[in-house]
Amino acid sequence: MRVAIIGTGYVGLVSGACFSEFGVEVICVDKDTDKISMLEAGRMPIYEPGLEELVEKNAHAGRLSFTTELVDAVGQADAVFIAVGTPSRRGDGHADLSYVYAAAEEIAGAIDGYTVVVTKSTVPVGTGREVERIIAEANPDAEFDVVSNPEFLREGSAIEDFMRPDRVVIGTKSERAQEVMRGLYRPLYLLETPIVFTSRQTSELIKYAANTFLATKITFINEIADLCEIVEADVHDVARGIGLDGRIGGKFLHAGPGYGGSCFPKDTLALVRTAEEVGSPLRIVETVVEINDKRKQRMAEKVIASCGGDVNGKTITVLGVTFKPNTDDMRDSPSLDIVAGLQAAGATIRAFDPEGMDEAREIMDDVIWCEDEYEAMTDADAVTIITEWNEFRALDLERAKSLLRAPVMIDLRNIYDPEEMAAAGFSYACIGRAPVAPADPSTK
Ligand code: UGA
């Protein structure tokens, strides 16, 4: 079985590496010559745990290669995956499908023999039909089917998610295409991974419904956290108390500074636009989008309040800037709003992130980037944890206290325990849990 993957972004690269690990012969195609040269030299354009090793292993075994030549790659393939970006279109929040349609045009001219064209990119309902129309129009002799096969990979654990998914969704009514797709996912089939065969439109919608539901779940617990702070309840216990109900489930109930990343913000907005357009508005998702946007901005106010209501002239340490740990991705990260809000209030920011600083430097101005968490805390008036990297979970609190001008911590990911922080002498603020007064140093 031979596969061509168009687009070596996050999804394309992870899918290509994982399919080759399944024993499939994979060629990854990208127009970006620098990226292809990098990959050929064994260097990864993104940070994803385990990816480099997987690429190296399969490239070495001759099952995985990289090229800028789409025509050759598509001509030899049994299945061609479109894995190009679908960013939010500026101004209206619709998914920008221009890269998908351009890829379809190019694929059309290169198809040789029966080929399954798969949309792996997250695309709104009806995109598969348009891809089919484009290919048929550009090459009326082409023998092909267009299938929707959305990805459910989380950055930071994408390889595990690909190799051991909860399910695989395949949208096509063509039995011939189903056969090819079944062959590709054979190792998962043998592991008894549920494979949902459905129509193309349903498959396209499943992807958006899944991401939107998860974003809603996070937003729900974030609002419950706000309520907890007022009524002196503990959001961790609420999440556990409701999550143990099998109908609710405990995952994605971690309260925090609001969801970010390249998927939830873009996909929630795109689904809202699609629903609006067809006259079946999704009020609940509209509200989720609005609450989450405001929440990210409100987190700066929370930090300011925890610093006595004024940060003008103060220095604030920011630990973690990526939208979540184990990635270098800064897209729609809550840190962008929080840092901007603190700077607007007159604060100087000293920051550290284990992987995200190269990306962050490009888009965040006037931040003092530090070598590690302790350098970042030196002579600062407070420390804010925005991303829950493992290295921030066990800070040397005594050392932190000796470096900081004041022992103030705002933990937007709830990775510390309020009582332990109080006992360590910190004025500690977190999300959805009652504050505990710091221990009086004189009673130590
Ligand atoms: C998300 C989905 O989880 C994947 O299934 C999907 O394939 C992917 O989008 C996509 O569409 O490509 P990802 O964006 O990598 O994956 O990250 P998540 O782990 O879902 O986290 C998204 C955001 O929600 C992060 O900012 C995270 O901090 C936040 N989050 C997550 C919470 O605030 N609380 C939680 O309990 C979980």
Coordinates of all heavy atoms in Angstrom, one line a residue, residues 10-11 122 151-157 161 167 207 210-211 214 218 221-222 250-267 322-325 332-334 388 413, ligand 1:
Y10 N 1.7 19.8 11.2 CA 1.5 18.9 12.4 C 0.8 17.6 12.0 O 1.3 16.5 12.3 CB 0.7 19.7 13.4 CG 0.7 19.1 14.7 CD1 1.8 19.2 15.5 CD2 -0.3 18.3 15.1 CE1 1.8 18.6 16.7 CE2 -0.3 17.7 16.2 CZ 0.8 17.8 17.1 OH 0.8 17.2 18.2
V11 N -0.4 17.7 11.4 CA -1.2 16.5 11.2 C -0.6 15.7 10.1 O -0.5 14.4 10.2 CB -2.6 17.0 10.7 CG1 -3.5 15.8 10.2 CG2 -3.3 17.7 11.8
T122 N -9.0 19.5 9.0 CA -10.4 19.8 9.5 C -11.1 20.7 8.6 O -10.8 21.9 8.4 CB -10.2 20.4 10.9 OG1 -9.5 19.5 11.7 CG2 -11.6 20.8 11.5
E151 N -8.9 13.8 12.0 CA -7.9 13.4 13.0 C -8.4 13.9 14.4 O -9.0 14.9 14.5 CB -6.5 13.9 12.6 CG -6.4 15.4 12.4 CD -6.2 16.2 13.6 OE1 -5.8 15.6 14.6 OE2 -6.5 17.4 13.6
F152 N -8.0 13.1 15.4 CA -8.3 13.5 16.8 C -7.1 13.5 17.6 O -7.1 13.1 18.8 CB -9.3 12.5 17.3 CG -10.6 12.4 16.5 CD1 -10.8 11.3 15.7 CD2 -11.6 13.4 16.6 CE1 -12.0 11.3 14.9 CE2 -12.7 13.3 15.8 CZ -13.0 12.3 15.0
L153 N -6.0 14.0 17.0 CA -4.7 14.0 17.7 C -4.5 15.2 18.6 O -4.9 16.3 18.1 CB -3.5 14.0 16.6 CG -3.6 13.1 15.5 CD1 -2.5 13.3 14.5 CD2 -3.6 11.6 16.0
R154 N -4.0 15.0 19.8 CA -3.7 16.1 20.6 C -2.2 16.4 20.5 O -1.4 15.5 20.5 CB -4.0 15.8 22.1 CG -5.4 15.8 22.5 CD -5.6 15.1 23.8 NE -5.1 13.7 23.7 CZ -4.9 12.9 24.7 NH1 -5.2 13.3 26.0 NH2 -4.4 11.7 24.6
E155 N -1.9 17.7 20.4 CA -0.5 18.0 20.4 C 0.1 17.6 21.7 O -0.5 17.6 22.7 CB -0.3 19.6 20.2 CG -0.7 20.0 18.9 CD -0.4 21.5 18.6 OE1 0.5 22.0 19.2 OE2 -1.0 22.0 17.7
G156 N 1.3 17.1 21.6 CA 2.0 16.6 22.8 C 1.8 15.1 23.0 O 2.6 14.5 23.7
S157 N 0.7 14.5 22.5 CA 0.5 13.1 22.7 C 0.0 12.6 21.3 O -0.8 11.6 21.3 CB -0.4 12.8 23.8 OG -1.5 13.6 23.8
D161 N -2.0 9.1 20.4 CA -3.4 9.2 19.9 C -3.6 8.5 18.6 O -4.7 8.0 18.3 CB -3.8 10.7 19.8 CG -4.0 11.3 21.2 OD1 -4.0 10.6 22.2 OD2 -4.1 12.6 21.2
R167 N -11.2 5.9 18.6 CA -12.0 5.4 17.4 C -11.3 6.0 16.1 O -10.6 7.0 16.2 CB -13.4 5.8 17.4 CG -13.8 7.3 17.1 CD -13.1 8.3 17.8 NE -13.8 9.6 17.9 CZ -13.2 10.6 18.5 NH1 -12.0 10.6 19.0 NH2 -13.9 11.8 18.6
K207 N -16.0 15.6 13.4 CA -14.8 16.3 13.9 C -15.1 17.6 14.6 O -14.6 17.9 15.7 CB -13.9 16.6 12.6 CG -12.8 17.5 12.9 CD -11.7 16.9 13.8 CE -10.8 18.0 14.3 NZ -9.6 17.4 14.8
A210 N -17.0 17.0 18.0 CA -16.1 16.5 19.0 C -15.3 17.7 19.6 O -15.3 17.9 20.9 CB -15.1 15.5 18.5
N211 N -14.6 18.5 18.8 CA -13.8 19.6 19.4 C -14.7 20.6 20.1 O -14.3 21.1 21.1 CB -13.1 20.3 18.2 CG -11.7 19.6 18.0 OD1 -11.4 18.6 18.6 ND2 -10.9 20.1 17.1
L214 N -15.8 19.3 23.5 CA -14.7 19.4 24.5 C -14.5 20.8 24.9 O -14.2 21.1 26.1 CB -13.4 18.8 23.9 CG -13.5 17.2 23.7 CD1 -12.3 16.8 22.8 CD2 -13.5 16.5 25.0
I218 N -14.8 22.3 28.8 CA -13.8 23.1 29.5 C -14.4 24.4 30.0 O -14.2 24.8 31.1 CB -12.6 23.4 28.6 CG1 -11.9 22.1 28.2 CG2 -11.6 24.3 29.2 CD1 -10.9 22.2 27.1
I221 N -16.6 23.9 33.1 CA -15.9 23.8 34.4 C -15.2 25.1 34.7 O -15.1 25.4 35.9 CB -14.9 22.6 34.4 CG1 -14.6 22.1 35.8 CG2 -13.6 22.9 33.6 CD1 -15.7 21.5 36.5
N222 N -14.8 25.9 33.7 CA -14.2 27.2 34.0 C -15.2 28.1 34.7 O -14.9 28.8 35.7 CB -13.6 27.8 32.8 CG -12.3 27.2 32.3 OD1 -11.6 26.6 33.1 ND2 -11.9 27.5 31.1
G250 N -14.5 12.1 33.5 CA -13.6 13.0 34.2 C -12.7 13.8 33.4 O -12.0 14.7 33.8
K251 N -12.6 13.4 32.1 CA -11.5 14.1 31.3 C -12.0 15.5 30.8 O -13.2 15.7 30.6 CB -11.2 13.2 30.1 CG -10.5 12.0 30.5 CD -10.1 11.2 29.2 CE -9.4 9.9 29.7 NZ -9.3 8.9 28.6
F252 N -11.1 16.3 30.6 CA -11.3 17.7 30.1 C -12.2 18.5 31.1 O -13.1 19.3 30.7 CB -11.9 17.7 28.7 CG -10.8 17.6 27.6 CD1 -10.0 16.5 27.6 CD2 -10.6 18.7 26.7 CE1 -8.9 16.5 26.7 CE2 -9.5 18.6 25.9 CZ -8.7 17.5 25.8
L253 N -11.9 18.2 32.3 CA -12.6 19.0 33.4 C -11.6 19.7 34.3 O -11.8 19.9 35.4 CB -13.5 18.1 34.2 CG -14.8 17.6 33.6 CD1 -15.6 16.7 34.6 CD2 -15.7 18.8 33.3
H254 N -10.5 20.1 33.7 CA -9.5 20.9 34.4 C -9.7 22.4 34.2 O -9.6 22.8 33.0 CB -8.0 20.5 34.0 CG -7.7 19.1 34.2 ND1 -7.5 18.7 35.5 CD2 -7.5 18.0 33.4 CE1 -7.2 17.4 35.5 NE2 -7.3 17.0 34.2
A255 N -10.1 23.0 35.2 CA -10.3 24.5 35.1 C -9.0 25.2 34.8 O -7.9 24.7 35.3 CB -10.9 25.0 36.3
G256 N -9.0 26.2 34.1 CA -7.7 26.9 33.8 C -8.0 28.3 33.2 O -9.1 28.9 33.4
P257 N -7.0 28.8 32.5 CA -7.1 30.2 31.9 C -7.9 30.3 30.7 O -8.0 31.4 30.0 CB -5.6 30.6 31.7 CG -5.0 29.3 31.4 CD -5.7 28.3 32.2
G258 N -8.6 29.2 30.2 CA -9.3 29.2 28.9 C -8.5 28.4 27.9 O -7.3 28.3 28.0
Y259 N -9.3 27.8 27.0 CA -8.6 26.9 26.0 C -8.0 27.8 25.0 O -8.4 28.8 24.6 CB -9.6 25.9 25.4 CG -10.8 26.5 24.7 CD1 -10.7 27.0 23.4 CD2 -12.0 26.6 25.3 CE1 -11.7 27.6 22.7 CE2 -13.1 27.1 24.6 CZ -13.0 27.7 23.4 OH -14.0 28.2 22.7
G260 N -6.9 27.2 24.4 CA -6.2 27.9 23.3 C -5.8 26.8 22.3 O -6.4 25.7 22.2
G261 N -4.8 27.1 21.5 CA -4.3 26.2 20.5 C -4.7 26.4 19.1 O -5.5 27.3 18.8
S262 N -4.3 25.5 18.2 CA -4.6 25.7 16.8 C -6.0 25.1 16.4 O -6.4 25.2 15.3 CB -3.5 25.1 16.0 OG -3.6 23.7 16.2
C263 N -6.7 24.5 17.4 CA -7.9 23.8 17.0 C -9.2 24.3 17.6 O -10.1 24.7 16.9 CB -7.7 22.3 17.3 SG -6.2 21.6 16.6
F264 N -9.2 24.3 18.9 CA -10.5 24.6 19.6 C -11.0 26.0 19.2 O -12.1 26.2 18.8 CB -10.4 24.5 21.1 CG -10.4 23.1 21.6 CD1 -10.2 22.8 22.9 CD2 -10.6 22.0 20.7 CE1 -10.2 21.5 23.4 CE2 -10.6 20.7 21.2 CZ -10.4 20.4 22.5
P265 N -10.1 27.1 19.3 CA -10.6 28.4 19.0 C -11.1 28.5 17.5 O -12.1 29.1 17.3 CB -9.4 29.3 19.2 CG -8.6 28.5 20.2 CD -8.8 27.1 19.9
K266 N -10.3 27.9 16.6 CA -10.7 28.0 15.2 C -11.9 27.2 14.9 O -12.8 27.6 14.1 CB -9.4 27.5 14.4 CG -9.6 27.1 13.0 CD -8.3 26.7 12.4 CE -7.9 25.3 12.6 NZ -8.5 24.3 11.8
D267 N -12.0 26.0 15.4 CA -13.1 25.0 15.1 C -14.4 25.5 15.7 O -15.4 25.3 15.0 CB -12.7 23.6 15.5 CG -11.5 23.1 14.7 OD1 -11.1 23.7 13.7 OD2 -11.0 22.0 15.0
T322 N 3.3 28.5 26.1 CA 2.7 27.7 25.1 C 1.2 27.4 25.5 O 0.9 27.5 26.7 CB 3.4 26.4 24.8 OG1 3.6 25.7 26.1 CG2 4.7 26.6 24.2
F323 N 0.3 27.0 24.6 CA -1.1 26.9 24.9 C -1.3 25.7 25.8 O -2.3 25.6 26.5 CB -2.0 26.9 23.7 CG -2.1 25.5 23.0 CD1 -3.2 24.7 23.2 CD2 -1.1 25.1 22.1 CE1 -3.3 23.5 22.5 CE2 -1.2 23.9 21.4 CZ -2.3 23.1 21.7
K324 N -0.4 24.8 25.8 CA -0.4 23.6 26.8 C 1.0 23.0 26.8 O 1.9 23.4 25.9 CB -1.4 22.6 26.3 CG -1.1 21.9 25.0 CD -2.1 20.8 24.8 CE -1.7 19.8 23.8 NZ -2.6 18.7 23.7
P325 N 1.3 22.1 27.7 CA 2.7 21.6 27.8 C 3.0 20.6 26.6 O 2.1 20.2 25.9 CB 2.8 20.8 29.1 CG 1.4 21.0 29.7 CD 0.5 21.6 28.8
D332 N -3.1 31.1 19.6 CA -4.2 31.4 20.5 C -3.9 31.0 21.9 O -4.8 30.6 22.7 CB -5.5 30.7 20.0 CG -6.2 31.6 19.0 OD1 -6.3 32.8 19.2 OD2 -6.6 31.1 17.9
S333 N -2.6 31.0 22.3 CA -2.3 30.7 23.7 C -2.9 31.8 24.7 O -2.8 33.0 24.4 CB -0.8 30.6 23.9 OG -0.5 30.4 25.3
P334 N -3.4 31.3 25.8 CA -3.9 32.3 26.8 C -2.8 33.3 27.2 O -3.1 34.4 27.6 CB -4.4 31.5 28.0 CG -4.6 30.1 27.4 CD -3.7 30.0 26.2
E388 N 1.2 24.3 32.4 CA 1.5 23.3 33.4 C 2.6 22.4 32.9 O 2.5 21.2 32.9 CB 0.3 22.6 33.9 CG -0.4 21.6 32.9 CD -1.3 22.3 31.9 OE1 -1.1 23.5 31.4 OE2 -2.3 21.6 31.4
R413 N -3.1 27.1 36.6 CA -3.3 25.7 36.2 C -3.5 24.8 37.4 O -3.6 23.6 37.3 CB -2.1 25.2 35.4 CG -2.0 25.9 34.1 CD -3.1 25.5 33.1 NE -2.8 26.2 31.8 CZ -3.5 25.8 30.7 NH1 -4.5 24.9 30.7 NH2 -3.2 26.5 29.6
Ligands
UGA1 C1 -7.5 19.2 20.3 C2 -8.3 17.9 20.6 O1 -8.1 17.5 21.9 C3 -7.9 16.8 19.6 O2 -8.7 15.6 19.8 C4 -8.0 17.3 18.2 O3 -7.6 16.3 17.2 C5 -7.2 18.5 18.0 O4 -7.7 19.5 18.9 C6 -7.4 19.0 16.6 O5 -8.5 19.3 16.2 O6 -6.4 18.9 15.8 P1 -5.1 20.1 21.1 O7 -5.6 21.4 20.5 O8 -3.8 19.6 20.7 O9 -6.2 18.9 20.7 O10 -5.1 20.2 22.6 P2 -6.0 19.8 23.9 O11 -5.3 18.9 24.7 O12 -7.4 19.4 23.5 O13 -6.1 21.2 24.6 C7 -6.7 22.4 24.1 C8 -6.8 23.5 25.0 O14 -7.7 23.2 26.1 C9 -5.5 23.8 25.8 O15 -5.3 25.2 25.8 C10 -5.6 23.2 27.1 O16 -4.8 23.8 28.1 C11 -7.1 23.4 27.3 N1 -7.7 22.4 28.3 C12 -7.8 21.1 28.0 C13 -8.2 22.9 29.5 O17 -8.1 24.1 29.8 N2 -8.7 22.0 30.4 C14 -8.8 20.6 30.1 O18 -9.4 19.9 31.0 C15 -8.3 20.2 28.9

